[in-house]
Amino acid sequence: MGKLIVIEGVDGAGKNTLARRLVSAWARDDLDVIRIGFPRYDYSIHADLAAEALRGRHGDTAQSVHAMALLFALDRKYAAKDLRKALSRNDIVLLDRYVASNAAYTAARLSESADGDAVEWIRALEFDRFGLPVPDVQILLDVPVELAAERAASRESEDISRTRDAYERDGSLQSRTSAVYGGLAASNWASRWEVVGPDVDPDRLAADVFNEPPDSGKVTT
Ligand SMILES: Nc1ncnc2c1ncn2[C@@H]1O[C@H](COP(=O)(O)OP(=O)(O)O)[C@@H](O)[C@H]1O
Ligand SMILES: Cc1cn([C@H]2C[C@H](O)[C@@H](COP(=O)(O)OP(=O)(O)O)O2)c(=O)[nH]c1=O
């Protein structure tokens, strides 16, 4: 059975970039790794509807915090079988965003903290009711929200297909989301968390998260 490792963080934190570097590090060690990003755009109707809603379509869907969370959760529900298959065939399944994204953004939109009702609603919905596999470790890429916002904005100016959506344009939401992520990591929500900064060494992190026993959370800078 492979390890389920998740990267979390606000938009523009550098998750995609870190994911690529982790995969390279593990590949050098001859580990079989599969990388999956959520939302699964182009594979999941729920993910596509969510993205469209965040760009102004589908009436007032995006205004409903819970409707958006349900779309993201349903994307994962229909990925559960593939995740299990991937775990049975690989040493590592690396996810770029997972259930904690829904917990963090949903709580932030409702101005709740990590120990509020929204986070518990997502946990019960996705892990208990949908039966999604619980990660072995969740990596929080914790970068200053100003740096993440700059990166998201410059990505938009470089790539016309990466226009920022409603969440990415909302600086206050990104700050609150970052705070909820901090609370989730501090309490090792759902499983062990590892908090890393923007200058993390991907090779060291790759070794740390693959080799560590599944019982302790720790902070690496
Ligand atoms: N460690 C880094 N140093 C410098 N630039 C980075 C770093 N990580 C990411 N970036 C840049 O920041 C932008 C956002 O990174 P990305 O990995 O796409 O973030 P996310 O997946 O969290 O939204 C990209 O343009 C990327 O090239
Ligand atoms: C996966 C996921 C993302 N989100 C949010 C985070 C992002 O602001 C937004 C889109 O996801 P994101 O990964 O940022 O997609 P993109 O490739 O378009 O940048 O949806 C949730 O609220 N819940 C979730 O479960």
Side-chain angles (χ1 to χ4, degrees):
M1 195 68 171
K3 282 203 172 188
L4 185 60
I5 299 177
V6 175
I7 304 181
E8 292 285 356
V10 296
D11 293 287
K15 298 179 297 299
N16 187 29
T17 309
L18 179 61
R20 263 188 279 119
R21 292 174 180 166
L22 288 174
V23 169
S24 303
W26 287 320
R28 278 197 302 276
D29 288 340
D30 283 331
L31 292 168
D32 289 323
V33 186
I34 185 164
R35 182 180 150 192
I36 300 169
F38 287 103
R40 291 177 312 148
Y41 302 125
D42 299 330
Y43 291 93
S44 153
I45 188 66
H46 297 104
D48 289 345
L49 288 170
E52 288 160 14
L54 287 181
R55 288 179 170 78
R57 293 181 56 195
H58 309 303
D60 56 6
T61 304
Q63 277 144 259
S64 166
V65 179
H66 293 86
M68 289 303 299
L70 287 171
L71 285 174
F72 289 122
L74 284 165
D75 170 18
R76 277 182 290 276
K77 179 186 189 296
Y78 291 103
K81 211 165 130 196
D82 287 350
L83 283 180
R84 285 209 186 77
K85 201 186 290 174
L87 283 167
S88 72
R89 292 180 182 171
N90 291 274
D91 299 307
I92 297 172
V93 176
L94 179 66
L95 304 182
D96 183 344
R97 291 198 183 282
Y98 193 48
V99 178
S101 283
N102 229 6
Y105 281 82
T106 303
R109 289 192 72 186
L110 296 167
S111 296
E112 288 185 12
S113 62
D115 55 10
D117 293 346
V119 167
E120 174 52 22
W121 175 64
I122 292 291
R123 194 202 58 73
L125 179 73
E126 300 209 37
F127 289 127
D128 293 351
R129 188 163 181 189
F130 290 174
L132 283 157
V134 175
D136 290 284
V137 55
Q138 304 179 76
I139 300 166
L140 174 58
L141 182 49
D142 187 24
V143 313
V145 282
E146 299 76 21
L147 175 61
E150 264 170 43
R151 286 173 173 176
S154 72
R155 185 171 56 189
E156 179 181 58
S157 63
E158 282 157 20
D159 181 352
I160 187 98
S161 69
R162 293 302 300 263
T163 53
R164 285 174 301 160
D165 63 32
Y167 289 0
E168 288 170 317
R169 289 172 186 280
D170 185 343
S172 148
L173 173 66
Q174 297 292 332
S175 296
R176 294 197 307 278
T177 303
S178 176
V180 179
Y181 268 132
L184 294 174
S187 64
N188 282 312
W189 183 76
S191 64
R192 181 166 74 82
W193 285 68
E194 181 118 7
V195 182
V196 302
D199 299 326
V200 62
D201 174 351
D203 293 344
R204 212 186 107 194
L205 180 64
D208 278 357
V209 292
F210 184 67
N211 294 323
E212 252 182 55
D215 54 355
S216 65
K218 74 166 197 181
V219 175
T220 310
T221 45

